[in-house]
Amino acid sequence: MSFDFSVEPEFQELLDWARDFVVANVHPLDVLWRHDNYAPLDGERRAVVRHLKDQVRSKGLWACHLGSDLGGQGYGQLKLALLNEVLGTSIWAPRIFGTQAPDTGNAEILAHYGTADQKAEYLQPLLEGDIVSCFSMTEPQGGADPGVFVTRADRDGDDWVINGQKFFSSNARWASFLIVMAVTDPDRPLRSRMSMFLVPADTPGIVIDRNLSHLTEPEDDGSEALISYHDVRVPSTAMLGERGDAFGVAQTRLGGGRVHHAMRSIGAAQRCLDMMAERAVSRTTKGELLADKQAVQNMVAESYLDIQQFRLFVLYTAWQIDRFNDYQRVRKDIAAIKVLTPRVLEGVARRAIQVHGALGTTFDLPLTQFLGNGMLLALADGPTEVHQTTVARQVLRDYVPAQGMWPSEHVPTRRVEAERWLKEQLAVVQV
């Protein structure tokens, strides 16, 4: 089987345009409005962002994660991976290109399961980038383990009433709506115990207890909410998908998302390597360029090797998804790149910080933000350890136990078999 990661000249032109556009017109936003890429827009920010979005739309590169059946371009995962590598160099680029999480996944859920009224009120503004949304799933007592979720949705006539707490509900403070996972059938098996609901943000009973900050966000201006739901009442039409099918609905939003995270991390890691190399050929210490120091050369080489190996693995995974159109078939490699994503980004960012010295630890450079993103990606969409277990199980299922006492590669046993084989061959030759 041969692999081909090339794209048509027309799409390569779009990638080249996107790369130049992001550097010239989006990187400045990262400097001017470093912590505001999720916040509502007003005044000059709205005008500038809308102008940039219009340029992206004119190239057919807006919200490319959507398939053609949902109004997108239907580019496929390989092309999306290559585009996301470009977007990963910038904090603001995903929003400018209409691919900002969690809005991308929430849009896909609404497109698949929303009613006509829900799509008109929320999906279209979300796709246009006029509003943001929140995915409210994890809980304070158990993180991302759904086996210990206790937030309930109980039927009351034609309505559902939600009670409980959710933790790390991204962008809740700015969201126009939340997609909430709640237990509807506590006595059923885990995978059919919960349902998904669309809850307008202004529904009575939603209380944001705290907004927590990530590593590089201002302490008093975080984007991760601890939310309490107190008798939050929604109509039966608020349920997304079938009752008890929250896991199936959630899979809709994951899809190729992990591939996109991985390729964005490659773009970020490459930017860290670029900064490291520039520093190495610019800075002199003790009469010698950093670039001539063996320790620095090792860091540059390790970073280059990590990025190139990982990039090929991610492109291969994206290529498989396009070829087989079956995420389950590619599950092992999707889990594997999820494990590698934080390792590669963290490793390259740490080396870049080291080469820059104390300057690398400050906000005068974006390196700490890239490092922080790498650490967060070790937890986003499930902890790394969960995906390592998935990889191990997928690998081990293709093996069978050794026959007899000794391993199949046991040399003394193989020697006996080889000698028997030799006698048989000699008998044939003599005949």
Side-chain angles (χ1 to χ4, degrees):
M1 183 183 297
S2 61
F3 314 120
D4 185 359
F5 303 146
S6 63
V7 295
E8 302 87 353
E10 295 79 10
F11 190 77
Q12 185 59 54
E13 288 181 9
L14 290 176
L15 288 175
D16 295 339
W17 177 88
R19 185 172 291 105
D20 294 340
F21 177 79
V22 168
V23 170
N25 299 294
V26 186
H27 284 183
L29 303 185
D30 297 343
V31 178
L32 293 171
W33 306 323
R34 178 169 181 157
H35 300 293
D36 300 330
N37 55 309
Y38 283 108
L41 302 172
D42 54 19
E44 64 179 12
R45 298 187 188 188
R46 178 182 292 275
V48 169
V49 169
R50 186 179 296 277
H51 175 63
L52 295 178
K53 287 179 179 179
D54 287 343
Q55 294 179 66
V56 171
R57 285 191 178 94
S58 71
K59 292 291 185 177
L61 292 174
W62 174 260
C64 289
H65 61 287
L66 293 178
S68 55
D69 57 323
L70 300 178
Q73 300 296 325
Y75 281 135
Q77 292 303 322
L78 179 62
K79 290 180 178 178
L80 289 177
L82 293 169
L83 177 61
N84 274 286
E85 181 179 11
V86 175
L87 304 187
T89 66
S90 164
I91 302 165
W92 270 87
R95 186 165 187 180
I96 300 300
F97 280 72
T99 62
Q100 183 84 296
D103 296 337
T104 51
N106 291 345
E108 292 189 71
I109 287 178
L110 273 178
H112 281 283
Y113 301 105
T115 65
D117 289 342
Q118 289 168 341
K119 291 177 181 178
E121 185 171 359
Y122 297 113
L123 178 59
Q124 290 307 315
L126 192 63
L127 292 178
E128 290 297 315
D130 295 331
I131 62 174
V132 298
S133 62
C134 171
F135 190 65
S136 191
M137 186 192 86
T138 57
E139 299 190 4
Q141 77 282 355
D145 178 9
V148 297
F149 286 1
V150 295
T151 296
R152 290 280 299 269
D154 295 300
R155 195 67 187 256
D156 184 18
D158 292 332
D159 296 336
W160 288 93
V161 180
I162 302 172
N163 283 282
Q165 269 194 322
K166 293 291 183 178
F167 202 24
F168 278 85
S169 295
S170 301
N171 305 333
R173 61 187 293 193
W174 301 304
S176 296
F177 68 92
L178 306 92
I179 293 181
V180 183
M181 181 185 285
V183 176
T184 51
D185 300 275
D187 297 326
R188 297 189 67 179
L190 175 60
R191 297 193 69 83
S192 57
R193 189 180 301 169
M194 285 166 277
S195 303
M196 209 76 83
F197 297 88
L198 186 152
V199 183
D202 58 359
T203 305
I206 299 176
V207 177
I208 296 180
D209 301 312
R210 294 180 61 202
N211 285 301
L212 289 84
S213 299
H214 281 312
L215 293 170
T216 56
E217 293 176 329
E219 183 178 355
D220 59 348
D221 197 24
S223 59
E224 302 293 347
L226 171 64
I227 304 178
S228 292
Y229 295 90
H230 300 287
D231 293 327
V232 176
R233 183 176 292 270
V234 293
S236 57
T237 53
M239 182 177 288
L240 296 166
E242 298 296 325
R243 177 171 178 169
D245 191 32
F247 280 86
V249 175
Q251 284 302 313
T252 300
R253 76 185 310 278
L254 289 174
R258 287 172 181 145
V259 179
H260 305 165
H261 274 311
M263 285 303 286
R264 289 182 191 179
S265 296
I266 292 169
Q270 181 62 52
R271 191 171 174 193
C272 292
L273 174 56
D274 293 341
M275 295 169 64
M276 187 193 320
E278 179 191 73
R279 181 70 165 181
V281 299
S282 304
R283 183 79 165 185
T284 300
T285 182
K286 296 187 181 301
E288 187 178 38
L289 279 174
L290 288 178
D292 294 329
K293 304 288 188 183
Q294 187 174 15
V296 174
Q297 292 172 350
N298 289 343
M299 285 189 277
V300 171
E302 288 294 328
S303 299
Y304 177 78
L305 293 171
D306 286 349
I307 292 171
Q308 293 306 318
Q309 291 177 96
F310 185 44
R311 185 174 190 270
L312 288 173
F313 192 3
V314 178
L315 290 177
Y316 171 62
T317 302
W319 174 86
Q320 287 184 92
I321 295 172
D322 286 344
R323 180 177 176 85
F324 302 121
N325 194 29
D326 183 354
Y327 283 98
Q328 274 301 116
R329 180 167 178 171
V330 193
R331 183 184 178 193
K332 175 176 61 180
D333 288 343
I334 292 175
I337 62 173
K338 172 62 173 69
V339 172
L340 287 172
T341 294
R343 289 185 188 176
V344 172
L345 181 52
E346 279 186 62
V348 178
R350 283 181 186 276
R351 296 181 198 115
I353 290 172
Q354 191 72 15
V355 170
H356 282 82
L359 178 63
T361 67
T362 70
F363 277 3
D364 279 10
L365 294 174
L367 290 172
T368 54
Q369 190 152 22
F370 287 129
L371 175 63
N373 288 344
M375 297 173 69
L376 295 173
L377 286 171
L379 296 168
D381 292 340
T384 294
E385 294 77 9
V386 172
H387 295 282
Q388 284 178 303
T389 299
T390 297
V391 173
R393 288 174 176 170
Q394 294 286 312
V395 169
L396 290 170
R397 72 177 184 177
D398 294 329
Y399 290 84
V400 297
Q403 299 297 314
M405 179 182 297
W406 305 110
S408 60
E409 293 290 343
H410 185 241
V411 172
T413 302
R414 292 182 61 207
R415 184 178 294 115
V416 172
E417 295 173 351
E419 289 173 349
R420 184 184 303 115
W421 171 85
L422 179 59
K423 289 179 180 179
E424 293 173 353
Q425 295 301 311
L426 289 173
V428 172
V429 172
Q430 290 172 358
V431 171

